């Protein structure tokens, strides 16, 4: 965003509630431009102040931030934001019903908060002739309504990935490798990166499929020892990898030098199953295994609408995780010690399946922490989870960045995409994209042809 030189070049961004709930410090991310907050947004934020979810935290923090900025000033006047490089902020009243003024309630034939926010933005435009006024919202429908009324509208872009296709897959296939080099890797277990990559640089914990005319080998770049190591296929908790991608995923999950892992892939590629199997294989290395997932309310209704106690309410969300656990357990006979060990772990809460809201605020030391469906988290939620990590904690995020169930998130703005993009070159981090479905031929048919 180029810096404005005159007042007419300084834009006015009107922020919707969805932007504040996404990131409470969003008002500080518009450089020298001015910020308008419709009074309706403050009313809506009041409804979100109670609760343990991230959106409740964001609502409370924004209220505190606004109170700190206002101090003894009136919020109907322009209040300077902190820093010389930033603009000012004010709260906007809803537009009046003066002659010639557009009224969103009349245009759309219904009085609702979204239309009141539109009216506030229209009022701001009418009162600031010569300046560009832009409505910023994570709600695509509200943006379309704004544009239909001749009002400029944009998504909140901070933290958004520009090109999802450019995200690394975590592995590359290199062909025409010298067969003697492949044999050397098989025999010695390591080779120097320059022997394969020539002048290219290897990324930390990158995976390779090295192919010659005669043979091939799976490999991994060990950043700590600056060498390419052979990766062996190994079963974990009775689950055998069915392809190279799954082999790499297991390697990342089992690698003690890697503390943060992301596994991206469509349904049926084995993300959650492999991660849970790897965690169970290492159960003696950690005090507990946590398997969590965000609760996406059914039909946008809170779980309080569901019947029964808290356990009954959560069962629909947690059932897929139990299915994976049962699948692993059924690799053994009931008389096997491995079968009994899993039952004991659940009974003694050594393995806990829980919603993410129950994790926030805790310090996670000596934990193997699996976060399923991570694409339904915001970047801030991802950061919050990782900052809870204590000594000897490993966190694995799994999900499909194209299967978003949370309103106001998409493949570019969700927390999983953000994490894959931001930490790609850190030695503590490994990523792998699973592309080949292994659930069943029928499931593959659906993914490929429907």
């Amino acid at each position: 965003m180029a810096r404005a030189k005159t007042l007419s070049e300084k834009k006015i961004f009107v922020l919707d509630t969805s932007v504040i709930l996404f990131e409470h410090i969003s008002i500080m991310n518009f450089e020298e431009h001015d910020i308008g907050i419709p009074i309706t947004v403050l009313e809506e934020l009041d409804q979100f102040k109670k609760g343990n979810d991230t959106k409740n935290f964001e609502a409370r923090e924004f209220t505190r931030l606004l109170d700190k900025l206002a101090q003894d000033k009136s919020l109907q006047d322009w209040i300077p934001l902190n820093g010389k490089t930033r603009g000012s902020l004010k709260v906007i009243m809803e537009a009046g019903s003066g002659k010639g003024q557009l009224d969103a309630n009349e245009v759309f034939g219904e009085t609702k908060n979204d239309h009141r926010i539109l009216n506030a933005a229209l009022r701001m435009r009418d009162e600031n002739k010569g300046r560009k006024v832009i409505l910023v919202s994570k709600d695509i429908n509200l943006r379309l309504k704004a544009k239909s009324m001749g009002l400029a509208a944009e998504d909140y872009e901070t933290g958004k990935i520009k090109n999802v296709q450019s995200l690394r897959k975590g592995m590359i296939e290199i062909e025409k490798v010298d067969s003697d080099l492949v044999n050397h890797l098989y025999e010695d277990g390591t080779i120097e990166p320059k022997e394969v990559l020539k002048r290219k640089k290897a990324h930390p914990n990158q995976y390779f499929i090295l192919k010659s005319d005669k043979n091939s080998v799976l490999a991994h770049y060990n950043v700590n020892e600056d060498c390419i190591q052979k990766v062996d296929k190994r079963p974990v908790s009775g689950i055998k990898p069915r392809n190279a991608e799954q082999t790499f995923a297991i390697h990342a999950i089992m690698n003690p030098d890697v503390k943060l892992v992301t596994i991206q892939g469509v349904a049926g590629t084995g993300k959650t199953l492999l991660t849970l199997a790897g965690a169970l294989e290492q159960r003696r290395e950690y005090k507990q295994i946590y398997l969590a997932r965000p609760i996406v309310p059914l039909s946008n209704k809170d779980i309080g609408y569901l019947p029964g106690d808290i356990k009954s309410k959560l069962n629909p969300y947690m059932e897929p995780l139990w299915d994976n656990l049962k699948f692993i357990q059924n690799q053994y006979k009931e008389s096997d010690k491995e079968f009994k060990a899993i039952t004991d772990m659940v009974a003694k809460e050594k393995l806990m399946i829980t919603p993410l809201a129950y994790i926030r605020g805790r310090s996670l030391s000596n934990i193997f922490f699996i976060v399923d469906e991570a694409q339904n988290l915001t970047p801030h939620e991802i950061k919050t989870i990782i900052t809870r990590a204590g000594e000897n904690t490993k966190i694995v995020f799994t999900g499909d960045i194209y299967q978003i169930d949370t309103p106001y998130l998409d493949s570019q703005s969700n927390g999983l995409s953000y994490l894959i993009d931001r930490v790609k070159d850190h030695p503590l981090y490994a990523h792998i994209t699973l592309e080949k479905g292994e659930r069943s031929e029928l499931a593959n048919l659906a993914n490929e042809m429907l």
Side-chain angles (χ1 to χ4, degrees):
M1 195 182 289
R3 187 162 300 284
K5 296 178 181 177
T6 65
L7 180 63
S8 62
E9 289 178 322
K10 285 181 68 174
K11 300 171 185 175
I12 299 175
F13 291 98
V14 178
L15 271 53
D16 174 32
T17 312
S18 61
V19 177
I20 306 299
L21 293 178
F22 184 79
E23 186 173 41
H24 75 272
I25 58 169
S26 53
I27 59 173
M28 299 295 186
N29 293 331
F30 290 88
E31 297 186 343
E32 77 280 13
H33 303 285
D34 295 329
I35 306 296
I37 305 293
I39 190 74
T40 308
V41 169
L42 298 185
E43 293 175 22
E44 290 190 331
L45 289 174
D46 190 55
Q47 301 170 20
F48 288 100
K49 65 184 180 183
K50 293 181 180 178
N52 297 319
D53 287 345
T54 300
K55 62 185 178 183
N56 308 121
F57 167 81
E58 298 292 344
R60 291 191 294 268
E61 288 298 300
F62 178 78
T63 303
R64 294 187 185 107
L65 177 60
L66 198 59
D67 182 57
K68 183 179 178 181
L69 288 169
Q71 295 181 1
D72 58 350
K73 305 181 189 74
S74 169
L75 283 169
Q76 290 192 43
D77 299 324
W78 287 110
I79 298 171
L81 295 170
N82 293 339
K84 295 180 180 179
T85 58
R86 296 195 179 102
S88 300
L89 174 142
K90 73 180 293 187
V91 170
I92 321 167
M93 298 296 122
E94 190 177 350
S97 55
K99 192 174 181 180
Q101 286 186 330
L102 277 172
D103 186 340
N105 292 317
E106 292 181 4
V107 171
F108 296 107
E110 185 182 5
T111 300
K112 57 191 297 188
N113 284 347
D114 279 1
H115 301 158
R116 294 173 63 194
I117 291 170
L118 283 175
N119 283 341
L122 290 166
R123 175 177 179 171
M124 180 62 77
R125 186 182 65 178
D126 292 341
E127 292 177 353
N128 294 272
K129 302 293 186 183
R131 294 186 66 186
K132 187 166 186 179
V133 176
I134 303 168
L135 177 69
V136 183
S137 175
K138 301 295 295 177
D139 185 342
I140 188 171
N141 288 326
L142 184 57
R143 297 201 302 269
L144 290 173
K145 284 184 176 182
K147 291 175 182 177
S148 71
M149 296 186 73
L151 184 66
E154 296 177 358
D155 192 3
Y156 179 64
E157 299 286 345
T158 301
K160 200 165 187 175
I161 308 306
K162 290 183 179 179
N163 183 8
V164 176
Q165 301 300 325
S166 67
L167 291 177
R168 287 186 194 152
K169 294 184 178 180
M171 58 159 278
I172 58 173
E173 191 172 303
I174 301 177
E175 297 184 338
K176 297 181 180 179
V177 177
D178 190 296
S179 59
D180 290 338
L181 197 61
V182 174
N183 289 332
H184 180 75
L185 186 54
Y186 264 113
E187 291 169 6
D188 290 1
T190 64
I191 54 175
E192 289 188 28
K194 64 182 181 182
E195 294 185 85
V196 174
L197 302 175
K198 309 303 180 188
R199 295 181 180 178
K200 292 181 180 179
K201 182 182 177 183
H203 298 287
N205 300 309
Q206 189 172 27
Y207 290 95
F208 304 93
I209 302 175
L210 306 179
K211 290 185 173 182
S212 73
D213 294 336
K214 300 177 182 178
N215 49 11
S216 64
V217 64
L218 305 182
H220 161 259
Y221 174 59
N222 186 326
V223 64
N224 295 324
E225 299 183 18
D226 190 28
C227 68
I228 290 180
Q229 297 177 326
K230 182 166 71 79
V231 173
D232 295 315
K233 285 189 176 183
R234 59 173 294 188
V236 284
S237 300
I239 304 298
K240 298 177 181 178
R242 296 187 177 184
N243 54 51
E245 301 158 7
Q246 289 193 351
T247 302
F248 294 147
I250 288 175
H251 183 274
I253 292 162
M254 301 297 293
N255 188 346
D257 294 328
V258 172
K259 301 299 182 183
L260 178 64
V261 179
T262 53
I263 303 176
Q264 140 72 15
V266 299
T269 49
K271 307 180 296 292
T272 310
L273 179 65
L274 292 173
T275 307
L276 182 55
L280 290 170
E281 185 80 9
Q282 301 173 82
R283 61 185 180 272
R284 294 178 183 85
E285 308 298 323
Y286 299 92
K287 183 178 68 177
Q288 282 180 303
I289 298 171
Y290 280 162
L291 184 53
R293 58 170 14 197
I295 291 178
V296 180
L298 303 172
S299 302
N300 291 324
K301 289 186 176 182
D302 190 79
I303 63 168
Y305 283 82
L306 296 173
D309 58 15
I310 187 65
K311 187 175 181 180
S312 301
K313 292 174 190 290
L314 293 174
N315 270 341
Y317 301 96
M318 301 299 133
E319 202 61 45
L321 306 182
W322 288 113
D323 289 343
N324 280 291
L325 185 61
K326 290 171 188 172
F327 184 87
I328 294 170
Q329 194 172 30
N330 289 335
Q331 302 304 304
Y332 307 102
K333 296 178 182 178
E334 287 189 29
S335 57
D336 290 346
K337 64 178 182 180
E338 291 87 353
F339 187 101
K340 295 175 181 177
I342 293 174
T343 302
D344 289 343
M345 286 183 73
V346 174
K348 296 176 181 178
E349 295 190 340
K350 295 287 185 182
L351 187 153
M352 295 184 65
I353 297 180
T354 180
L356 270 176
Y358 286 38
I359 300 296
R360 291 190 183 91
R362 300 185 61 180
S363 181
L364 305 171
S365 297
N366 203 20
I367 300 289
F368 193 109
F369 191 16
I370 305 166
V371 182
D372 196 32
E373 303 290 350
Q375 77 278 1
N376 287 321
L377 297 170
T378 67
H380 180 75
E381 287 175 310
I382 292 279
K383 180 180 178 180
T384 301
I385 292 166
I386 297 173
T387 55
R388 306 317 305 166
E391 287 296 318
N392 192 38
T393 284
K394 182 162 185 166
I395 305 178
V396 181
F397 291 94
T398 70
D400 178 3
I401 60 173
Y402 299 104
Q403 188 65 48
I404 311 291
D405 303 310
T406 304
Y408 313 139
L409 292 181
D410 57 31
S411 61
Q412 293 173 281
S413 63
N414 72 86
L416 184 58
S417 294
Y418 177 83
L419 181 61
I420 295 168
D421 181 66
R422 287 300 177 95
V423 297
K424 55 195 172 191
D425 287 320
H426 201 286
L428 289 179
Y429 169 72
H431 168 72
I432 193 71
T433 297
L434 302 180
E435 295 181 326
K436 189 175 180 183
E438 296 291 356
R439 186 170 283 169
S440 69
E441 291 182 6
L442 184 59
N444 291 341
L445 179 150
N447 278 327
E448 293 168 8
M449 303 186 70
L450 298 183

